[in-house]
Amino acid sequence: MARAKIALIGSGMIGGTLAHLAGLKELGDIVLFDIAEGTPQGKALDIAQSAPVEGFDARLSGANDYAAIEGADVCIVTAGVARKPGMSRDDLLGINLKVMEQVGAGIAKYAPNAFVICITNPLDAMVWALQKFSGLPKNKVVGMAGVLDSARFRHFLADEFKVSVEDVTAFVLGGHGDTMVPLTRYSTVAGVPLTDLVKMGWLTAERLEEIVQRTRDGGAEIVGLLKTGSAYYAPAASAIVMAESYLKDKKRVLPAAASLKGEYGQNDLYVGVPVVIGAAGVERVIEIELNGDEQTQFTNSVNSVKGLMEACIGIAPNL
Ligand code: TXD
């Protein structure tokens, strides 16, 4: 059987890390694409030269032409710009929306059967726009944020409790960042919900709230430390898990920005919910019952995503 083909659209910090991880995990042959000349070619060559040392087989190539992504099984999109000082949310939206239009056209032309994972910010609005611009089926276009947000939450909890990260599960809903909704009653240590761990005296409710807030601010904390960019190791690892679940039909249950058609009372909107990812793409959206407080937080999150979508429509009325 031929190897899968993975196209990375955007070859910056996350794109390069995605290529490295996809190689190490032998997920398939990898094409790096970018508008910057030389960057995708240079990263492809560098990673290809690590293959004999690491012992993985994958063909790596770099390109500035969309024709190179032809027939890709998976496209992971990180193309765009990050917010810089002095730039408004609308400025960022305007720039990245144009990028999504180009990327959508490229995927529609050369990789219409791909499973597409969008990472570009502002995530929930960009994945929604990318689906529209590409015209690909909604179950084949998904956004990565929840795996990252829950991984950050799991890391902080494991560190707090001095237990293995493997035994901590976390459940998050909603949009990426500020309005993320962590569901503490569904987040556990070896199956014991955090709400019970508070009762058991493992941590106080206040300390749990601090950890939740640090998770929400997880991206900003790293930007503050790096100064010149945002996180890329954990975001790349998170998208790779989603790609792997699709390519290997693992049917993993992962939080992701998915298109809702009635679930959680929402329509034609992308927001973070638990989904099953398998060979058919997003095979199922898992709809859980929310309590009053969770529902309020989720509605708040959905409203902020809708605000971003409206800003997109203001810029691109054809959406
Ligand atoms: O959880 C999440 N979803 C995120 C999202 C977590 C972390 C970072 N997140 C966002 O991912 C971040 O705000 C950015 O919007 C993307 C990509 O982050 P990265 O750190 O990889 O950004 P870089 O290093 O600036 O890379 C972006 C690349 C760069 O090489 C540009 O030349 C390229 O995108 N670029 C383009 N490629 C193709 N086509 C067009 N039009 C284009 N414009 C820029």
Side-chain angles (χ1 to χ4, degrees):
M1 210 214 297
R3 286 187 205 141
K5 177 169 175 176
I6 300 158
L8 306 174
I9 305 183
S11 305
M13 299 310 288
I14 299 180
T17 312
L18 284 168
H20 194 200
L21 287 175
L24 287 171
K25 289 175 184 270
E26 288 195 331
L27 293 187
D29 290 336
I30 300 151
V31 177
L32 287 127
F33 170 89
D34 205 288
I35 48 167
E37 283 177 24
T39 303
Q41 292 85 351
K43 290 195 179 188
L45 189 57
D46 188 10
I47 295 168
Q49 290 169 355
S50 79
V53 184
E54 296 285 0
F56 66 82
D57 285 298
R59 273 173 52 84
L60 281 120
S61 55
N64 305 111
D65 184 334
Y66 274 104
I69 74 164
E70 182 153 30
D73 299 289
V74 171
C75 294
I76 309 182
V77 179
T78 57
V81 297
R83 196 159 150 176
K84 295 186 185 69
M87 208 187 237
S88 74
R89 189 188 67 182
D90 286 0
D91 293 340
L92 178 73
L93 258 184
I95 297 170
N96 284 352
L97 199 56
K98 281 217 169 61
V99 175
M100 291 305 108
E101 192 166 7
Q102 295 165 9
V103 173
I107 292 175
K109 183 163 181 197
Y110 292 107
N113 297 317
F115 180 57
V116 179
I117 303 170
C118 180
I119 304 185
T120 302
N121 267 333
L123 191 269
D124 304 271
M126 290 303 107
V127 64
W128 169 79
L130 182 61
Q131 188 279 322
K132 295 235 183 281
F133 287 136
S134 67
L136 263 63
K138 290 178 176 165
N139 62 313
K140 298 292 283 293
V141 182
V142 71
M144 188 295 291
V147 177
L148 174 63
D149 289 331
S150 62
R152 286 178 170 154
F153 197 25
R154 289 172 66 193
H155 160 68
F156 293 140
L157 290 167
D159 202 37
E160 177 76 12
F161 299 138
K162 305 283 177 281
V163 299
S164 166
V165 287
E166 285 187 61
D167 297 317
V168 181
T169 63
F171 196 128
V172 298
L173 281 180
H176 182 41
D178 303 348
T179 61
M180 176 201 95
V181 185
L183 294 190
T184 50
R185 67 194 173 105
Y186 287 131
S187 302
T188 76
V189 173
V192 183
L194 291 179
T195 39
D196 286 7
L197 293 172
V198 170
K199 286 186 205 143
M200 287 155 61
W202 278 42
L203 83 175
T204 62
E206 295 71 38
R207 180 69 188 132
L208 179 54
E209 191 42 47
E210 278 171 27
I211 294 173
V212 165
Q213 195 52 44
R214 189 172 177 199
T215 305
R216 282 202 185 99
D217 299 336
E221 182 175 359
I222 290 179
V223 169
L225 291 165
L226 294 180
K227 294 180 188 75
T228 53
S230 51
Y232 50 98
Y233 292 112
S238 301
I240 287 290
V241 147
M242 296 168 69
E244 191 174 22
S245 191
Y246 171 75
L247 288 168
K248 297 185 179 168
D249 193 24
K250 282 173 74 86
K251 305 197 192 294
R252 294 231 24 214
V253 180
L254 299 167
S259 178
L260 301 184
K261 42 179 191 317
E263 300 92 346
Y264 296 92
Q266 304 298 329
N267 263 305
D268 192 27
L269 170 115
Y270 271 81
V271 72
V273 290
V275 299
V276 176
I277 296 180
V282 173
E283 298 186 345
R284 191 157 100 192
V285 170
I286 300 175
E287 192 177 5
I288 59 152
E289 217 168 276
L290 301 177
N291 67 27
D293 187 37
E294 292 160 354
Q295 185 61 56
T296 308
Q297 289 188 52
F298 185 68
T299 305
N300 178 30
S301 191
V302 164
N303 287 340
S304 102
V305 172
K306 283 183 180 162
L308 292 169
M309 288 163 59
E310 273 155 26
C312 288
I313 292 167
I315 298 164
N318 56 328
L319 270 170

